Amino acid sequence: MVSGIHGSVRDLFEFTDADRALARIRDIYDTGATAVREAFTRFGEGQQTSPVRAYYPYLGIEVPPEKLHVESTLSYGAPRDPGVYGTTLTRPDLFEEYYREQIELLLKNHDVPVVVGVSERPIPLPFLVETATDAIGPTDIRQLQMTFDMPDLARTDDDIANGVHIRTGDVPKPLSLFSGERVDYSLARLRHYTATLPEHFQKFVLFTNYQRYVDEFIEYAKSQLEDPKSPYVAFVEPGPAVHVRKNAPKKWQAGGEAVKQLPQMPSYHLIREDGLGVTLVNIGVGPSNAKTATDHIAVLRPHCWLMLGHCAGLRRSQLLGDYVLAHGYVRDDHVLDSDLPLWIPVAPIAEVQVALADSVAKITGLTGKEMKARMRTGTVATTDNRNWELRYSELFVRLNQARAIAVDMESATIAANGFRFRVPYGTLLCVSDKPVHGELKLPGMANNFYRQRIGQHLEIGLQTIETLRAEVNQLHSRKLRSLDEPAFR
């Protein structure tokens, strides 16, 4: 047993094997969670119970100067400075593979043991009990709060991810972007907003702002489940309703019912056994939903997220149905201004940009000048005003100075949050109208446009993921890492 340098953490043990460290993490979490759930059941039955508390597992490491790993090409897996590092962890059942990878990298890159113990941070009851009981009414809430821990939002924030974390006292430096409680907060929100479970989310995420992309994705997913050679084993839609391929492994079981009324951000998951499948989230219109979705999905540490949606073309040479590959963004969405100041550039991720451009060429068959004519690369302006056209005379100078080629309401938000949370990002939009040039879709034109373009646009996104899946290690670029970056990816 070790002690002292990791603050108030207790029952610390050293490990040089990732699997044994994970076993200890699971034991701490499961023991505490079981005790709280059993006490909650007794509480619901009217039995008196004394306060019961579970604590988040703690993972830490001490890196002396002589054990620093200073390889210039390393983007994660090693602290940059000597010192003591630590973080709280949650849901080892959900994050097992992710935790194993991070622990193995720490052991490999520093040749010192990691330590696992019991933190001082209690696990709030709402993050351990998913459903309440009718026996608990409003008059029981006070007693409930006295018996079980509730979320402490005063100590749950994004300061580490935002690069503004300030250590107070003799405490370990951050080992990860998110604490256990911050992760649990988002997991609960994902269930609420998407009507699916965190374990359904895949490592590649598509965001869209239009229901017809969802319809196309559902058709594609069902066709994959009918193909016995498909790498996908299941498809999950809001409910959750689980559909399973006929020859899928036995652990995958069909069940559940689709919801009658869709949630705020319905999500659809085409699942691979290795987790490298595709999740599609319909965030609807506007930057607020885009921020909410990415705020919470980020804790699942996806490999990449892409925006596929519609935009207004700003150049007279653009035609309805042309593609826009964003290389830069005018951030006029405002929802992230306090987290990521406007003076911070949101740079394109080279690997994602190349994969998107190559996929457009492959799926459309366009080459040379024809390709350049039908896909413009440049700056996308994202606004929080759905009726921005009514302020065109006011906005013209800004759009003109930015060399913007399109306007939408979500892309910059998704890219900025990808930058903020170190999730590789990209944007490919489709021009659906050109209001500043008087080109609006008439009903007949719209139907024909959607039939022709949405299926192709989604296919480009899926092809991009196929490309990125094969080079996932190159995705996590050093350009997304800060000067004092935590070691966890």
Side-chain angles (χ1 to χ4, degrees), residues 39 42-43 47-53 143 146-148:
R42 294 193 299 270
F43 185 93
Q47 301 180 35
Q48 288 188 348
T49 180
S50 57
V52 179
R53 176 168 285 177
Q143 184 60 40
M146 295 175 62
T147 307
F148 302 98

Side-chain angles (χ1 to χ4, degrees), residues 156-204:
T156 307
D157 55 44
D158 284 325
D159 284 358
I160 300 172
N162 290 349
V164 297
H165 172 72
I166 300 176
R167 293 171 64 205
T168 56
D170 189 18
V171 297
K173 301 175 185 179
L175 190 58
S176 65
L177 292 175
F178 306 108
S179 66
E181 193 164 357
R182 171 65 174 83
V183 172
D184 276 339
Y185 171 80
S186 282
L187 298 183
R189 289 295 184 268
L190 285 175
R191 286 190 290 268
H192 172 73
Y193 285 123
T194 71
T196 55
L197 302 178
E199 46 264 46
H200 295 144
F201 277 78
Q202 300 295 285
K203 294 299 184 183
F204 292 93

Side-chain angles (χ1 to χ4, degrees), residues 38 60 71 82 121 238 251 264 281 294 339 342 410 434 446 478:
E38 291 176 349
E71 180 184 333
R121 296 296 298 143
K251 72 174 183 177
Q264 186 172 346
V281 184
T294 47
D339 291 302
L342 289 174
E410 302 85 22
K434 295 170 58 184
R478 289 173 294 165

Side-chain angles (χ1 to χ4, degrees), residues 259-274:
V259 293
K260 294 181 180 179
Q261 184 173 355
L262 289 175
Q264 186 172 346
M265 290 173 289
S267 298
Y268 304 80
H269 314 279
L270 189 51
I271 296 175
R272 284 172 46 127
E273 285 199 87
D274 58 7

